[in-house]
Every structure is written in structure tokens, then in C-alpha cells.
């Protein structure tokens, strides 16, 4: 099990990016959340098996069809509070 915090920049708000993350995470059994950040990025906290988390991080480079991803930063977030399921949260 691993937990990662992912920050995605580019044209990722208002283009279905968060919905894409939720669908992808739920389909692969990951837990966590996704939200917009006021600075225009999308933030993701995801937990699950190493391979599934790595695949989500890799997929974040593309995201939803209308998105334009400029940069993806992923780093360990071990010790973060775990959640049940995968949800979309309000803007931070």
C-alpha cells in the first residue's frame, strides 16, 4: 500500500478532469479524493496498491480529453488520513 499526493497543472479545471480522476480511481479500487486548488491546479490524494497508484499517476499526464496537462508532481503522503472510497471535494 502506498499514498501519494499529486498536483496537476495546465488546463485542468472546468474540463472534466476531476470526474475523470474519480472514475479512474473507483474503477481500480483506489481510495482518496480530488479537488481544485485556487491557483488553477488539481490536487489528488490517493491510496492503494503500488501498481494501481503508479498507473493513476501516469494517467494524470493525459487526464480527460479536454484537458491540457503541463506538469504532474507526485510525492509520498504516507501518514495522511485514509478515506473510504474516492470522492470529489470542494475547492481548497
Amino acid at each position: 500500500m502506498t499514498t501519494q499526493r499529486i498536483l496537476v497543472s495546465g488546463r485542468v479545471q472546468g474540463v472534466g478532469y476531476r470526474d475523470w480522476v474519480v472514475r479512474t480511481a473507483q474503477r481500480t479500487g483506489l481510495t482518496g479524493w480530488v479537488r481544485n486548488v485556487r491557483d488553477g491546479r488539481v490536487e489528488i490524494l490517493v491510496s492503494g496498491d503500488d501498481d494501481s497508484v503508479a498507473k493513476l499517476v501516469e494517467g494524470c499526464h493525459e487526464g480527460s480529453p479536454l484537458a491540457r496537462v503541463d506538469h504532474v508532481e507526485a510525492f509520498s503522503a504516507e501518514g495522511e488520513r485514509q478515506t473510504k472510497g474516492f470522492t470529489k471535494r470542494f475547492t481548497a
Side-chain angles (χ1 to χ4, degrees), residues 54-72:
K55 286 178 186 175
L56 179 68
V57 171
E58 184 60 34
C60 284
H61 290 272
E62 302 258 340
S64 66
L66 297 176
R68 185 200 75 242
V69 176
D70 294 336
H71 184 70
V72 176

Side-chain angles (χ1 to χ4, degrees), residues 1-2 10 13-15 51 53 86 91:
M1 284 293 267
T2 188
Q13 292 189 8
V15 293
D51 289 339
V53 170
F86 200 95
T91 300

